[in-house]
Short mmCIF file of all heavy atoms in Angstrom, two decimals:
data_model
loop_
_atom_site.label_atom_id
_atom_site.label_comp_id
_atom_site.label_asym_id
_atom_site.label_seq_id
_atom_site.Cartn_x
_atom_site.Cartn_y
_atom_site.Cartn_z
N TYR A 1 0.84 -1.20 -0.01
CA TYR A 1 0.00 0.00 -0.01
C TYR A 1 0.87 1.24 0.01
O TYR A 1 2.00 1.26 0.49
CB TYR A 1 -0.91 0.01 1.23
CG TYR A 1 -1.77 -1.21 1.35
CD1 TYR A 1 -1.40 -2.25 2.19
CD2 TYR A 1 -2.95 -1.32 0.65
CE1 TYR A 1 -2.18 -3.38 2.32
CE2 TYR A 1 -3.75 -2.46 0.75
CZ TYR A 1 -3.36 -3.47 1.62
OH TYR A 1 -4.13 -4.60 1.73
N LEU A 2 0.30 2.32 -0.49
CA LEU A 2 0.90 3.63 -0.38
C LEU A 2 -0.19 4.61 0.11
O LEU A 2 -1.10 4.91 -0.64
CB LEU A 2 1.46 4.13 -1.71
CG LEU A 2 2.23 5.46 -1.64
CD1 LEU A 2 3.53 5.31 -0.83
CD2 LEU A 2 2.54 6.00 -3.03
N GLN A 3 -0.09 4.95 1.38
CA GLN A 3 -1.02 5.93 1.97
C GLN A 3 -0.50 7.29 1.67
O GLN A 3 0.62 7.67 2.04
CB GLN A 3 -1.17 5.69 3.46
CG GLN A 3 -2.08 6.71 4.14
CD GLN A 3 -3.53 6.53 3.74
OE1 GLN A 3 -4.04 5.44 3.62
NE2 GLN A 3 -4.21 7.66 3.48
N MET A 4 -1.33 8.12 1.01
CA MET A 4 -0.90 9.47 0.61
C MET A 4 -1.80 10.47 1.28
O MET A 4 -3.04 10.49 1.03
CB MET A 4 -1.00 9.58 -0.94
CG MET A 4 -0.22 8.52 -1.69
SD MET A 4 -0.13 8.81 -3.47
CE MET A 4 -1.86 8.68 -3.89
N ASN A 5 -1.24 11.27 2.14
CA ASN A 5 -1.98 12.32 2.85
C ASN A 5 -1.50 13.70 2.42
O ASN A 5 -0.42 13.83 1.82
CB ASN A 5 -1.79 12.13 4.33
CG ASN A 5 -2.33 10.81 4.87
OD1 ASN A 5 -3.30 10.27 4.31
ND2 ASN A 5 -1.70 10.30 5.91
N SER A 6 -2.26 14.68 2.76
CA SER A 6 -1.90 16.11 2.46
C SER A 6 -1.46 16.24 0.98
O SER A 6 -0.41 16.85 0.70
CB SER A 6 -0.75 16.56 3.39
OG SER A 6 -1.17 16.44 4.74
N LEU A 7 -2.25 15.73 0.12
CA LEU A 7 -1.89 15.71 -1.27
C LEU A 7 -1.83 17.13 -1.87
O LEU A 7 -2.62 18.01 -1.48
CB LEU A 7 -2.86 14.83 -2.08
CG LEU A 7 -2.59 13.33 -1.92
CD1 LEU A 7 -3.82 12.51 -2.31
CD2 LEU A 7 -1.40 12.91 -2.75
N LYS A 8 -0.90 17.30 -2.80
CA LYS A 8 -0.68 18.60 -3.44
C LYS A 8 -0.89 18.42 -4.95
O LYS A 8 -0.70 17.31 -5.48
CB LYS A 8 0.77 19.05 -3.18
CG LYS A 8 1.14 19.13 -1.71
CD LYS A 8 2.60 19.50 -1.53
CE LYS A 8 3.02 19.55 -0.07
NZ LYS A 8 4.45 19.90 0.06
N PRO A 9 -1.18 19.51 -5.62
CA PRO A 9 -1.30 19.41 -7.10
C PRO A 9 -0.06 18.82 -7.77
O PRO A 9 -0.19 18.09 -8.79
CB PRO A 9 -1.53 20.86 -7.52
CG PRO A 9 -2.20 21.47 -6.33
CD PRO A 9 -1.54 20.83 -5.13
N GLU A 10 1.10 19.04 -7.21
CA GLU A 10 2.32 18.52 -7.80
C GLU A 10 2.50 16.98 -7.60
O GLU A 10 3.40 16.39 -8.13
CB GLU A 10 3.58 19.23 -7.27
CG GLU A 10 3.64 19.33 -5.75
CD GLU A 10 3.14 20.68 -5.23
OE1 GLU A 10 2.07 21.14 -5.74
OE2 GLU A 10 3.78 21.23 -4.33
N ASP A 11 1.58 16.36 -6.83
CA ASP A 11 1.56 14.91 -6.73
C ASP A 11 0.81 14.27 -7.87
O ASP A 11 0.84 13.05 -8.00
CB ASP A 11 0.92 14.52 -5.41
CG ASP A 11 1.71 14.94 -4.19
OD1 ASP A 11 2.94 14.84 -4.22
OD2 ASP A 11 1.08 15.40 -3.21
N THR A 12 0.20 15.07 -8.72
CA THR A 12 -0.54 14.54 -9.86
C THR A 12 0.39 13.80 -10.81
O THR A 12 1.42 14.33 -11.25
CB THR A 12 -1.24 15.69 -10.63
OG1 THR A 12 -2.23 16.27 -9.77
CG2 THR A 12 -1.89 15.16 -11.90
N ALA A 13 0.07 12.54 -11.09
CA ALA A 13 0.91 11.69 -11.92
C ALA A 13 0.26 10.32 -12.08
O ALA A 13 -0.72 10.03 -11.39
CB ALA A 13 2.28 11.51 -11.26
N VAL A 14 0.83 9.52 -12.93
CA VAL A 14 0.49 8.11 -12.99
C VAL A 14 1.43 7.41 -12.01
O VAL A 14 2.67 7.61 -12.09
CB VAL A 14 0.67 7.51 -14.41
CG1 VAL A 14 0.33 6.03 -14.39
CG2 VAL A 14 -0.28 8.23 -15.37
N TYR A 15 0.87 6.62 -11.11
CA TYR A 15 1.64 5.94 -10.11
C TYR A 15 1.75 4.47 -10.48
O TYR A 15 0.76 3.80 -10.82
CB TYR A 15 0.97 6.07 -8.73
CG TYR A 15 1.23 7.44 -8.11
CD1 TYR A 15 0.60 8.57 -8.67
CD2 TYR A 15 2.08 7.61 -7.04
CE1 TYR A 15 0.82 9.82 -8.10
CE2 TYR A 15 2.30 8.85 -6.48
CZ TYR A 15 1.69 9.96 -7.02
OH TYR A 15 1.90 11.21 -6.47
N TYR A 16 2.97 3.95 -10.39
CA TYR A 16 3.27 2.57 -10.74
C TYR A 16 3.87 1.88 -9.52
O TYR A 16 4.63 2.47 -8.76
CB TYR A 16 4.30 2.49 -11.86
CG TYR A 16 3.89 3.18 -13.15
CD1 TYR A 16 4.16 4.52 -13.37
CD2 TYR A 16 3.24 2.45 -14.17
CE1 TYR A 16 3.81 5.15 -14.55
CE2 TYR A 16 2.88 3.08 -15.34
CZ TYR A 16 3.17 4.43 -15.52
OH TYR A 16 2.81 5.03 -16.70
N CYS A 17 3.56 0.58 -9.39
CA CYS A 17 4.30 -0.21 -8.43
C CYS A 17 5.19 -1.17 -9.19
O CYS A 17 4.93 -1.52 -10.36
CB CYS A 17 3.40 -0.93 -7.45
SG CYS A 17 2.38 -2.24 -8.14
N ALA A 18 6.26 -1.59 -8.54
CA ALA A 18 7.23 -2.48 -9.15
C ALA A 18 7.82 -3.41 -8.10
O ALA A 18 7.83 -3.08 -6.92
CB ALA A 18 8.34 -1.66 -9.84
N ALA A 19 8.33 -4.52 -8.56
CA ALA A 19 8.86 -5.51 -7.66
C ALA A 19 10.21 -6.03 -8.17
O ALA A 19 10.45 -6.10 -9.38
CB ALA A 19 7.89 -6.70 -7.52
N VAL A 20 11.08 -6.35 -7.21
CA VAL A 20 12.35 -6.97 -7.57
C VAL A 20 12.74 -7.92 -6.44
O VAL A 20 12.52 -7.63 -5.26
CB VAL A 20 13.44 -5.93 -7.81
CG1 VAL A 20 13.77 -5.16 -6.55
CG2 VAL A 20 14.70 -6.56 -8.38
N LYS A 21 13.31 -9.06 -6.81
CA LYS A 21 13.72 -10.01 -5.78
C LYS A 21 14.88 -9.45 -5.00
O LYS A 21 15.72 -8.74 -5.54
CB LYS A 21 14.11 -11.33 -6.42
CG LYS A 21 13.89 -12.53 -5.53
CD LYS A 21 13.81 -13.82 -6.28
CE LYS A 21 13.41 -14.98 -5.36
NZ LYS A 21 13.36 -16.25 -6.04
N ALA A 22 14.83 -9.69 -3.69
CA ALA A 22 15.81 -9.11 -2.79
C ALA A 22 17.24 -9.39 -3.32
O ALA A 22 17.55 -10.49 -3.72
CB ALA A 22 15.63 -9.68 -1.40
N GLY A 23 18.08 -8.37 -3.21
CA GLY A 23 19.46 -8.49 -3.68
C GLY A 23 20.39 -7.71 -2.80
O GLY A 23 20.12 -7.48 -1.61
N ALA A 24 21.48 -7.29 -3.37
CA ALA A 24 22.52 -6.63 -2.57
C ALA A 24 22.35 -5.14 -2.42
O ALA A 24 23.03 -4.51 -1.63
CB ALA A 24 23.90 -6.90 -3.20
N TYR A 25 21.41 -4.54 -3.16
CA TYR A 25 21.25 -3.10 -3.13
C TYR A 25 20.48 -2.66 -1.88
O TYR A 25 19.64 -3.36 -1.36
CB TYR A 25 20.49 -2.64 -4.37
CG TYR A 25 21.21 -2.91 -5.67
CD1 TYR A 25 20.85 -4.00 -6.45
CD2 TYR A 25 22.24 -2.10 -6.08
CE1 TYR A 25 21.53 -4.26 -7.65
CE2 TYR A 25 22.92 -2.37 -7.27
CZ TYR A 25 22.53 -3.45 -8.05
OH TYR A 25 23.17 -3.70 -9.24
N THR A 26 20.78 -1.44 -1.45
CA THR A 26 19.98 -0.84 -0.38
C THR A 26 18.64 -0.45 -0.94
O THR A 26 18.48 -0.25 -2.18
CB THR A 26 20.66 0.39 0.22
OG1 THR A 26 20.72 1.40 -0.77
CG2 THR A 26 22.07 0.06 0.70
N VAL A 27 17.65 -0.29 -0.08
CA VAL A 27 16.32 0.09 -0.56
C VAL A 27 16.39 1.51 -1.21
O VAL A 27 15.65 1.78 -2.15
CB VAL A 27 15.28 0.03 0.59
CG1 VAL A 27 15.61 1.07 1.66
CG2 VAL A 27 13.88 0.19 0.04
N GLN A 28 17.26 2.37 -0.72
CA GLN A 28 17.38 3.69 -1.31
C GLN A 28 17.94 3.57 -2.73
O GLN A 28 17.43 4.22 -3.64
CB GLN A 28 18.29 4.60 -0.47
CG GLN A 28 18.50 5.96 -1.08
CD GLN A 28 19.29 6.94 -0.18
OE1 GLN A 28 19.47 6.67 1.00
NE2 GLN A 28 19.68 8.03 -0.75
N ALA A 29 18.98 2.77 -2.89
CA ALA A 29 19.56 2.63 -4.23
C ALA A 29 18.58 2.04 -5.21
O ALA A 29 18.47 2.49 -6.34
CB ALA A 29 20.82 1.74 -4.15
N MET A 30 17.82 1.04 -4.74
CA MET A 30 16.82 0.44 -5.63
C MET A 30 15.80 1.46 -6.07
O MET A 30 15.36 1.48 -7.23
CB MET A 30 16.16 -0.73 -4.92
CG MET A 30 17.02 -1.97 -4.77
SD MET A 30 16.10 -3.39 -4.20
CE MET A 30 15.81 -2.94 -2.50
N CYS A 31 15.43 2.34 -5.14
CA CYS A 31 14.39 3.31 -5.46
C CYS A 31 14.91 4.41 -6.36
O CYS A 31 14.26 4.81 -7.33
CB CYS A 31 13.87 3.90 -4.14
SG CYS A 31 12.06 4.17 -4.09
#
């Protein structure tokens, strides 16, 4: 899930989810 609060006009977009099998990258790097 992605809970989105206090939404702003600049949040307007198409939102996608994606998956990858766990690996050596940090979650920040993956993102």
Side-chain angles (χ1 to χ4, degrees):
Y1 304 98
L2 185 68
Q3 178 67 44
M4 306 187 297
N5 298 328
S6 302
L7 283 162
K8 304 175 182 180
E10 51 263 44
D11 295 318
T12 295
V14 178
Y15 283 71
Y16 302 88
C17 68
V20 65
K21 208 160 188 182
Y25 297 102
T26 65
V27 65
Q28 178 174 347
M30 287 190 288
C31 219

